[in-house]
Amino acid sequence: MTTDTTTVKTATADTGARADLFRWIIAAGGLATVASTFMSWTYTDEFPGDLTVYGYPGGLQVLTLVAGLLTTLYALAAQDFKGLRWLAPTGTTKALRLFALGAFGTTWFTVVAIAVELGGVVNLEPGGFVAAVASAIPVAAAFQLPDDTRKARRPKELPSWAEILIIVAAFAIGLFVVTYGIDTEYAELFTGYMITAGFAIAALFKAGLMARLSALTAKYRSIAVAAAFVAAAAFPFTQNTDQFTLIAVNILIFATVALGLNIVVGLAGLLDLGYVAFLGVGAYTAALVSGTTASAFDVQFPFWASVLTGGAVSLVFGVVIGAPTLRLRGDYLAIVTLGFGEIFRITVGNLDGVSGPQVTNGPNGVPNVPDLNFFGYDFGESHTIAGFELGSYANYYLLMLLAMILVILVFSRAGSSRIGRAWVAIREDETAATAMGINGFRVKLIAFALGATLAGLAGTVQAHVQSTVVPEMYVFAGPVPPNSAFLLAAVILGGMGTISGPLIGATLLYMIPAKLQFLQDYQLLGFGIALILLMRFRPEGLIANRRAQLEYHETDQLDVPEKGLPDTGVGITKAGA
């Protein structure tokens, strides 16, 4: 017995020493990767970002620098260096692997891009080779580490001011990360940003740091909401021009409409493939009452009236379309809503005075929609606020931010209300919900009408941002979002039934085509592959609620009572416990 115990202790000590050695190798590799970014990676400035300078990282080198620093930091945290253990409440091994892969992926993408775009590896300077070798060392060592996943301990109680400060700092970092991605000036830098950010965020989740931050935001919910709003509102103040602010405005429009669709699909479980038509209804309504000379109606409503009119007309269309169709279920409902979307596009294309009445100018649409003017504040002109000059798109950005807050408020209140619980019941099992006394048709019609109204509200702003409205903007699938396919993909990708899920999904699905123009012809193929992989590995979406996680990750094994618990005849699994 003594010999066996001694052998086990010796083996454990050897394993621990071996793991410590690999962690120090990872830290050394991370530092070498950081050092390589201060060297020249290519001798010519033809590759974007100017990677020819010694002593000053530029372009993609900055991303490699950040990834290398994070890898080194977590390698030291694994050694409990200077109290860094708090960075990984649930373990460091999985996080280290992801950080190392992020640095490796960004570095090798840059090296390969230099070789491909400039015509061979001869265009690489010694710094490029050093970076390639240095970034591979942490990856090789990280996959030799034993898994140290553990249950997170209860964090040390901090003063309230310190916890609030952590929340503020987290949202400030989030603003910087998002702004950096939107402001990327060329496709190579955006691709590297996506690689680095993707692996880093996944690593922080695996380390348990994001879960701890979520607990803090739940504890100080009102402060977290205010911090999120302030961070989002600060974005236009970080921009010198409107070049990237327009992308942010379109992201907000896309995300707002996706949240409205989330009520229909995520909460009520109604597969709507023609939802973008309600966005078009609001946009056309606002354009026709805006006072433009291209309108068939000689009227000019003030902003608040055009918004209410667009929302009301969309509501009417939602009720008119939903009333005869919502008695259908599943694929049948999807086909009918798809038909409605196509009917809307064809109808507005035919109301040109030749094929039908002169209302929408047919395929030419309604151009020259004037800028909004709200109580003397012209959204089409630049304004100086607190010493910062805000362009026209910055004005629309702040307006759409307020609209999104309204939609989020409606979604959260409706989702937790009695009608919201009825939507979830209908989504889970309509037959059982009806048997329990829920009027399925009325509940679904309310969801359909509310979703249509929110889309119409977003459409009223979109008409003024784009300054023109044409039928081609409201199709089922097309090269430019928002369209019905992209909206549905944003909800599914982000996580149905959540608030942050569609926001993240819409941001990704808009930014990727906007930044990677060379993928315009292949983006539907790429998104199809991404959705297949998502359904295979994370069917609940990037951000999922607890119910979806339990539903999509059920095990088929028989429940076995936990050791030490009385056998009451009901199996208790670890997940259930």
Side-chain angles (χ1 to χ4, degrees):
M1 181 66 70
T2 304
T3 303
D4 293 341
T5 304
T6 303
T7 302
V8 171
K9 290 182 178 179
T10 303
T12 303
D14 291 342
T15 301
R18 184 168 175 267
D20 289 341
L21 175 62
F22 280 120
R23 292 186 183 108
W24 285 117
I25 292 175
I26 294 171
L31 288 176
T33 303
V34 171
S36 71
T37 63
F38 291 88
M39 304 173 65
S40 173
W41 287 14
T42 181
Y43 64 85
T44 174
D45 59 0
E46 293 181 8
F47 188 83
D50 193 7
L51 310 184
T52 64
V53 182
Y54 276 89
Y56 185 80
L60 285 157
Q61 288 177 324
V62 175
L63 298 174
T64 296
L65 171 66
V66 172
L69 285 175
L70 290 173
T71 302
T72 304
L73 185 64
Y74 268 78
L76 296 177
Q79 299 283 33
D80 202 14
F81 185 78
K82 295 295 183 181
L84 293 177
R85 198 73 172 180
W86 62 271
L87 288 172
T90 59
T92 58
T93 297
K94 293 182 178 179
L96 266 176
R97 292 171 181 172
L98 290 169
F99 279 126
L101 285 172
F104 176 81
T106 305
T107 303
W108 276 77
F109 165 75
T110 307
V111 170
V112 172
I114 292 173
V116 171
E117 293 187 20
L118 301 183
V121 295
V122 295
N123 295 281
L124 290 171
E125 286 280 77
F129 293 103
V130 172
V133 174
S135 63
I137 294 174
V139 176
F143 281 90
Q144 302 300 319
L145 292 175
D147 189 0
D148 64 346
T149 302
R150 58 185 180 270
K151 186 176 181 180
R153 297 179 180 177
R154 186 168 183 173
K156 181 181 178 182
E157 195 73 23
L158 295 175
S160 297
W161 64 266
E163 294 179 334
I164 294 173
L165 189 61
I166 291 174
I167 294 174
V168 173
F171 279 104
I173 294 173
L175 171 64
F176 175 79
V177 171
V178 173
T179 301
Y180 187 92
I182 295 178
D183 291 352
T184 50
E185 297 181 352
Y186 47 92
E188 293 86 354
L189 183 59
F190 179 75
T191 303
Y193 163 80
M194 291 295 294
I195 295 173
T196 304
F199 278 106
I201 293 173
L204 294 177
F205 272 101
K206 289 295 184 181
L209 198 61
M210 298 299 287
R212 187 155 288 180
L213 179 61
S214 297
L216 278 181
T217 56
K219 181 178 180 181
Y220 300 96
R221 184 175 180 83
S222 58
I223 294 176
V225 171
F229 173 73
V230 171
F235 171 79
F237 295 93
T238 65
Q239 304 297 303
N240 295 324
T241 66
D242 270 349
Q243 178 182 359
F244 301 115
T245 309
L246 175 60
I247 296 178
V249 173
N250 288 323
I251 288 174
L252 287 183
I253 293 174
F254 191 11
T256 302
V257 181
L259 273 174
L261 179 61
N262 198 24
I263 293 177
V264 180
V265 177
L267 293 182
L270 305 174
L271 185 55
D272 188 350
L273 299 182
Y275 187 75
V276 74
F278 297 117
L279 176 69
V281 170
Y284 264 98
T285 302
L288 291 174
V289 301
S290 64
T292 176
T293 55
S295 173
F297 308 103
D298 188 19
V299 294
Q300 183 174 2
F301 287 6
F303 168 63
W304 62 269
S306 64
V307 168
L308 293 179
T309 304
V313 174
S314 298
L315 171 64
V316 171
F317 269 83
V319 174
V320 170
I321 299 301
T325 61
L326 288 179
R327 299 188 186 278
L328 302 174
R329 299 186 187 182
D331 298 339
Y332 301 100
L333 177 62
I335 293 173
V336 171
T337 55
L338 176 61
F340 164 65
E342 290 302 300
I343 290 172
F344 170 78
R345 180 181 63 84
I346 294 172
T347 300
V348 295
N350 287 333
L351 297 179
D352 56 357
V354 177
S355 302
Q358 170 63 306
V359 179
T360 64
N361 293 326
N364 295 324
V366 184
N368 303 322
V369 179
D371 288 304
L372 289 175
N373 194 301
F374 191 53
F375 291 110
Y377 188 93
D378 191 343
F379 282 73
E381 296 181 356
S382 298
H383 298 272
T384 301
I385 299 178
F388 295 91
E389 185 176 353
L390 298 181
S392 60
Y393 290 128
N395 299 326
Y396 284 110
Y397 173 89
L398 296 175
L399 177 62
M400 276 308 306
L401 184 61
L402 293 175
M404 175 176 285
I405 292 174
L406 174 63
V407 174
I408 291 175
L409 182 63
V410 171
F411 183 91
S412 60
R413 295 296 184 184
S416 58
S417 66
R418 180 179 179 181
I419 191 69
R421 293 192 294 271
W423 287 336
V424 174
I426 290 291
R427 182 193 67 195
E428 298 300 322
D429 192 329
E430 184 173 350
T431 303
T434 304
M436 294 299 294
I438 296 176
N439 188 330
F441 173 74
R442 183 176 65 87
V443 167
K444 290 191 293 184
L445 186 59
I446 293 175
F448 210 73
L450 179 58
T453 304
L454 296 179
L457 293 177
T460 59
V461 180
Q462 185 201 34
H464 294 277
V465 173
Q466 302 291 347
S467 75
T468 186
V469 182
V470 292
E472 287 73 18
M473 297 171 61
Y474 309 103
V475 296
F476 170 72
V480 180
N483 52 63
S484 292
F486 276 59
L487 288 169
L488 187 61
V491 174
I492 296 174
L493 174 66
M496 294 188 297
T498 64
I499 293 177
S500 56
L503 300 181
I504 294 175
T507 301
L508 292 176
L509 291 183
Y510 191 91
M511 280 184 62
I512 292 175
K515 293 294 184 179
L516 305 181
Q517 297 290 337
F518 63 91
L519 290 180
Q520 287 288 346
D521 296 333
Y522 305 100
Q523 59 179 297
L524 290 179
L525 173 63
F527 290 145
I529 295 174
L531 288 177
I532 291 173
L533 295 176
L534 185 74
M535 292 300 101
R536 170 61 183 85
F537 297 104
R538 195 173 176 83
E540 70 273 22
L542 297 177
I543 305 295
N545 55 32
R546 183 63 176 167
R547 180 197 297 271
Q549 288 180 324
L550 294 176
E551 287 178 352
Y552 287 113
H553 294 282
E554 292 178 331
T555 60
D556 296 329
Q557 299 177 355
L558 295 176
D559 294 344
V560 178
E562 284 289 308
K563 182 178 179 181
L565 293 176
D567 188 357
T568 60
V570 179
I572 302 176
T573 62
K574 289 184 178 181

